[in-house]
């Protein structure tokens, strides 16, 4: 929130930051294929995805709207910072516990790819192999923690949105659909190209906007 007059450049900058933060909601996309592969009955996967997307969308809209209606211009980046009293401690503890318990799930796809690059994906290495795998995972977690500890939250989320979430949400789906499905209709190809183009333009803008206001 910036009181008083806001120049058009500042409005554009805030819009870029806001959009790059909002697109982080797509961070769960890398989990789609691993979850489907682990399902006993993959035929139910479309219904599960649609239900989860609907529930997530409703939750985001309700929580975001309620927070703003309650605190207006004093709304903090973390709505939990606006809460006071004993109840707020419970809410913050529950939020921290949620992040702690879901972090391994979010880390899994990246860790699998990293272990393959480092040659640690083999399972026949015995105890030594397991130690190296644990060391790599611990190092990745500690590195992410150290970076997040000293980075401004708004800019960190915007940077993650520009570097990670925008490609996951717009660029990769469009490219993969064009390459793997080869849509025959002009409308389908146009939609894929529009997604890719938007992502290619949005990603650098979001990254630059996050870095410019980094403080």
């Amino acid at each position: 929130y910036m009181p008083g007059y806001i120049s058009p450049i500042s409005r554009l900058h805030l819009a870029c930051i806001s959009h790059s933060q909002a697109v982080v909601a797509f961070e769960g996309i890398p989990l789609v294929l691993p979850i489907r592969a682990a399902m006993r009955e993959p035929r139910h996967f479309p219904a599960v995805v649609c239900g989860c997307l609907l529930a997530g969308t409703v939750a985001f809209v309700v929580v975001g709207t309620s927070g703003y209606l309650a605190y207006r211009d004093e709304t903090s980046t973390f709505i939990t910072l606006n809460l006071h009293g004993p109840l707020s401690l419970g809410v913050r503890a529950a939020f921290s516990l949620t992040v702690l318990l879901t972090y391994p799930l979010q880390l899994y796809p990246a860790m699998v790819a990293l272990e393959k690059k480092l040659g640690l994906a083999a399972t026949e290495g015995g105890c030594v192999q397991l130690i190296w795998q644990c060391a790599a995972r611990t190092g990745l977690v500690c590195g992410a923690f150290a970076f997040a500890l000293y980075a401004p939250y708004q800019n960190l989320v915007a940077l993650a949105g520009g570097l990670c979430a925008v490609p996951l949400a717009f660029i990769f789906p469009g490219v993969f659909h064009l390459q793997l499905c080869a849509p025959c209709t002009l409308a389908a190809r146009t939609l894929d190209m529009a997604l890719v183009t938007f992502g290619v333009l949005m990603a650098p803008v979001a990254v630059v906007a996050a870095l410019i206001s980094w403080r």
Side-chain angles (χ1 to χ4, degrees):
Y1 170 67
M2 297 177 61
Y5 172 74
I6 302 178
S7 66
I9 299 298
S10 297
R11 290 181 183 274
L12 179 61
H13 176 260
L14 291 175
C16 293
I17 291 290
S18 300
H19 283 80
S20 55
Q21 290 176 345
V23 80
V24 174
F26 290 94
E27 64 181 349
I29 286 181
L31 302 176
V32 170
L33 294 180
I35 291 175
R36 186 184 186 280
M39 292 182 67
R40 291 183 179 179
E41 300 180 3
R43 68 178 185 275
H44 297 309
F45 183 71
V48 173
V49 170
C50 292
C52 291
L53 288 176
L54 179 61
T57 301
V58 172
F60 272 107
V61 172
V62 171
V63 173
T65 304
S66 301
Y68 180 75
L69 291 177
Y71 299 102
R72 295 290 180 174
D73 295 335
E74 297 180 358
T75 304
S76 301
T77 305
F78 263 129
I79 191 62
T80 54
L81 297 178
N82 289 107
L83 303 178
H84 303 285
L87 182 60
S88 66
L89 296 178
V91 173
R92 295 179 187 181
F95 180 79
S96 300
L97 184 63
T98 301
V99 174
L100 180 65
L101 295 179
T102 57
Y103 190 77
L105 187 63
Q106 299 285 352
L107 182 67
Y108 176 73
M111 200 65 247
V112 170
L114 181 61
E115 287 178 353
K116 288 182 179 179
K117 292 292 184 181
L118 297 177
L120 301 176
T123 58
E124 62 273 4
C127 183
V128 176
Q129 185 81 357
L130 180 61
I131 292 175
W132 279 110
Q133 287 179 340
C134 292
R137 296 179 183 187
T138 303
L140 182 61
V141 172
C142 292
F145 174 77
F147 182 75
L149 187 63
Y150 295 101
Y153 177 75
Q154 298 93 327
N155 301 80
L156 180 62
V157 174
L159 187 63
L163 289 176
C164 305
V166 169
L168 287 174
F170 301 105
I171 300 177
F172 295 157
V175 172
F176 292 161
H177 189 257
L178 282 172
Q179 295 294 324
L180 299 178
C181 300
C184 299
T185 63
L186 178 61
R189 292 196 299 270
T190 302
L191 178 59
D192 288 336
M193 292 302 300
L195 286 175
V196 174
T197 302
F198 177 79
V200 170
L201 295 176
M202 182 63 188
V205 171
V207 171
V208 171
L211 294 178
I212 287 177
S213 59
W214 197 285
R215 60 171 79 88

